[in-house]
Amino acid sequence: MQRIVRLALLALPLAGLSFAADLTGNWLAAEDMKDGTLRRTYLNLVQESAARVTGYIRTTQLVYSVANSTATGPDAFTLTASMSDGKNERRATYIVKLEGEVLHVSVQRAGRGAATELLAHRVPIGEGAYPKRIELPALHKVPYNGLAKTPPMGWNSWNKFAGRIDDATVRAIADAMVANGMKAAGYEYVNIDDTWEGDRRDAQGNITTNNKFPDMKALADYVHGKGLKIGIYSSPGPNTCAGYEGSYGHEEQDARTWAAWGIDYLKYDWCGARNIYKDEEMQPLYQIMGDALQKTGRAIVFSLCQYGRQDVWKWGPDVGGNLWRTTGDIRDAWESMAEIGFNQDALASYAAPGHWNDPDMLEIGNGGMTDTEYRTHMSLWAMLAAPLLAGNDLRSVPQPVLDILTNADVIAIDQDQAGKQGRRIWQAGDQEAWIRELAGGAQALAIFNRAGKDANVTLNWSDLGMKKAPKSARDLWLHKEVRLGKTGYSGNLPAHGVVLLRLGK
Ligand code: GLA
């Protein structure tokens, strides 16, 4: 009796509010990705009152908590969702409205253009819950795998194809690399980025592929049959950046799967790990995969992708990394490429054979820059001893773009055996000169004009720390020996252009 009274009392305040609908529950919106996978968004909501909804929203690699809610009708709310991502905050707006048993959801992500409309249905509480934290191993040094003595060269699917990459396209790219001279120029790895994964592991917990990649082993055999190597992509988190299955808690198993398929290169992208671990905890997570790859006994290049956080260049080699991204994602635009490329100077001392700074993949040929700008992109990446991973559609490359990507003299700078990254030596306004020390005492000299209009550049050899004029110089874009002035270099450079010289001792 006493109990009933107490329950009745508890119910009273709620009855007083009498909200028309209750959004409390676990709502699932499943988007068909047209590759046999579903992109699942879980809205775990608690309607506290007619005016307030709390809870969290899990979608792709993101887990937001509802920071603010505004009632816009009896059963409609605007929810402000927020999550912390390293030092940044990510925000999204979810406009939800209950109609019958269906929750209509309109998602607006900051800076992402048009809203996405979703329909969500109730699912049991607990479904889609985020996996528990797995404790991290103590740090140790993963031995060097002996790979990537020079910066890796190849192709990666993301910049051009993003989620539209599939088996047939990868095969066609491999064919093209053989036919168009890319392979002969040294491009070796054919790397599949995000969106190859199935969204459910099999009964044994093995990672699966989605419909776009019916047989990864057969695809690897095909690529190997062309004399090329094949790479794949995953995340230390439960989800990749595009929201596909990551390797969290399955690291050794996934490494074994990839080795069995014949994979030669792994790009390992922080993504969903951010919801379980702090940025400060990255190193042991990357170490887990570094160990797992080595345990397979297969030679697999290990590429770390965590956007240059936590001074990765200081510990990348210790987790078995052969290269590490130093920045956020590149875009096919001069501003993005220049912002990334010209800001790598301070990292030069961390590059060495086997271990490279990675300012991200090439955008050459994707159409957002002029050929002059693409020549600057290629020159700068060569000066930086950066990995050269083409990111364009290699099945149809205009000749000028192919000439840029396959310029043997420029590639020779990038691939120089000494493995010393170039430094900025001189700067005057928008013009700057970089020098890269090459094996055998030669040097590469790149003079850049970052201005949006052409410029006369004059610099003295003494500005570059040279006592006298270099003995000889070859212009690597004009493909000819050039005569140098006694006191210095003088020339006219186009807007966003470059002069790249190989100097003899
Ligand atoms: C991140 C990486 C990109 C690409 C995408 C794939 O943004 O930095 O290079 O791999 O994820 O989702």
Side-chain angles (χ1 to χ4, degrees), residues 158 193-194 233 241-242 267 269 271 305 307 325 329 360-361:
W158 187 255
D193 207 280
D194 205 351
Y233 167 100
C241 284
K267 173 175 169 183
D269 195 347
C271 306
C305 177
Y307 338 116
R325 280 274 296 278
D329 291 9
D360 209 356
M361 304 166 294

Side-chain angles (χ1 to χ4, degrees), residues 113-134:
T116 309
E117 308 297 332
L118 303 172
L119 296 179
H121 300 269
R122 282 184 194 277
V123 291
I125 298 289
E127 190 185 310
Y130 219 69
K132 290 211 164 52
R133 180 189 163 96
I134 300 171

